[in-house]
Amino acid sequence: MIIKNIASILGITSPAKSRLEGVEMASVASIDDAWLRTGGETITDFGPMAEMPAPAEGEEVIDACGGMLFPSFCDSHTHIVYAGSREGEFVDKIAGLSYEEIAERGGGILNSADLLAATSEDELYRQAMSRVDEIIAMGTGAVEIKSGYGLSTDSELKMLRVIARIAESTPLVVRATFLGAHAVAREYYGRQDEYVDHIITDMLPAVAAQGVAQYVDVFCDKGFFTVRDTERILDAAARYGLRPKIHANELARSGGVQVGVAKGALSVDHLERIGSQEIEALYGSATIPTMLPGASFFLGMPYGPARQVIDAGLPLALASDYNPGSSPSGSMKMVMSLGSIKMKLTPEEAFNAVTINGAYAMGVESETGSIAPGKLASFFITRPIPSLAFFPYAYTAPLIARTFLRGREV
Ligand code: NIG
Ligand code: FE
């Protein structure tokens, strides 16, 4: 098909560009008054309207009516496979309890694990699919999804099979991450070392044998897993070819960033509490720092020092963290707004953080995350808007008019 009358195609990169760092994040390459052609699932060509080729016999022509064309968002950190919801804890937080206090009382992740254990695999898929439909409607085209509400071999595998089913049954690009070390399972209360042993000797081999995860995650933070636990799990996972993408420095200067970089993590995520030592550790590494401003907003935590990270010349990705406890939203548009409003990213930096850098953070940058010939035709067209900056500025306006994933309108 050919799309005409696009006010601006945003996020054009060379197909070989894998991520944007430091000052590179300040610009978004674009073509104004443009057309774009797709063939099958991919983008084939694009250019200015003055040079639009004649449509081929039978080729569908779509009028963008002066809207902008954005590459679909790449949400590199979510937990969208979960059962039920946790608005009871939301009310507890309003009354003054902290995330850690709720977790210490057996709420939090363990509450979601109880709900998940009592939910059938089909029902879990059904509930997750309603969130999948929601994020597609909000512009997401690629999503990383974690396990971590199972906390037993069977339930972790159940979650990972649901993720695989989402990958097969939707046009999203999906990557799955095994997060057995999200919290110590209830049965292992007071026996954290034994739970880590259980992950290493039982869960990891089962997950690897079924081929249902590409990445491994550990919640390396105060009150959860230590640096030593993290090293043990990441070393064991490396033997199965699972690369780390870890939770680090949400609740404390946990050492999570340093251990993630040392173990070759693709990304270290959260980073609400980092300083110059963590930035130093990231410098020159392949690990992309990823921040989750929705969690800061929802839990009332400090925002990660995104400005400092970019000003140090590092790349930055932003993701939603969509989950029932710390960020019950998958709106990447809101993530861009929070990036700009609270973290002081320019709209261009926020855009790059949720597209090409998000793609890098989930290892799909050769397929998607920008507009380039050969990449997936996964993008959306906005209502006519005056500028890129209008998109995060109008922070609740539904500005997406039409969405295409893998070359088909959804
Ligand atoms: O990324 N911090 C750890 N895990 C999730 C929250 C999980 C939950 O509360 O259910 C997060 O914020
Ligand atoms: Fe998370």
Side-chain angles (χ1 to χ4, degrees), residues 73-135:
F73 297 129
C74 298
D75 192 351
S76 65
H77 181 138
T78 82
H79 310 247
I80 60 170
V81 173
Y82 60 82
S85 54
R86 305 217 310 259
E87 68 277 13
E89 293 172 13
F90 170 66
V91 175
D92 291 341
K93 280 180 210 124
I94 294 167
L97 288 188
S98 71
Y99 183 79
E100 288 142 294
E101 285 165 338
I102 289 167
E104 276 158 18
R105 293 175 179 208
I109 295 165
L110 296 182
N111 184 354
S112 285
D114 294 342
L115 288 167
L116 189 130
T119 303
S120 73
E121 191 163 326
D122 282 340
E123 173 59 15
L124 189 60
Y125 173 75
R126 203 192 56 75
Q127 293 186 19
M129 278 302 289
S130 77
R131 293 173 208 120
V132 165
D133 292 342
E134 184 191 332
I135 64 172

Side-chain angles (χ1 to χ4, degrees), residues 42-56:
T42 57
I43 296 168
T44 55
D45 209 357
F46 46 83
M49 276 308 285
E51 294 163 22
M52 184 170 121

Side-chain angles (χ1 to χ4, degrees), residues 1 3 38 60 62 69-70 72 140-141 171 376-381 401-410:
M1 72 190 173
I3 304 179
T38 69
E60 189 183 359
I62 287 173
L69 187 147
F70 282 55
S72 295
T140 294
L376 288 175
S378 293
F379 47 74
F380 60 82
I381 298 167
R402 300 177 78 166
T403 300
F404 298 81
L405 293 178
R406 298 180 188 268
R408 298 181 86 125
E409 187 157 17
V410 293

Side-chain angles (χ1 to χ4, degrees), residues 77-79 146 179 182 217 247 270 292 321 323 326:
H77 181 138
T78 82
H79 310 247
K146 299 172 192 297
L179 175 55
H182 199 190
D217 192 348
H247 282 75
H270 267 292
L292 313 168
D321 198 19
N323 78 74
S326 67

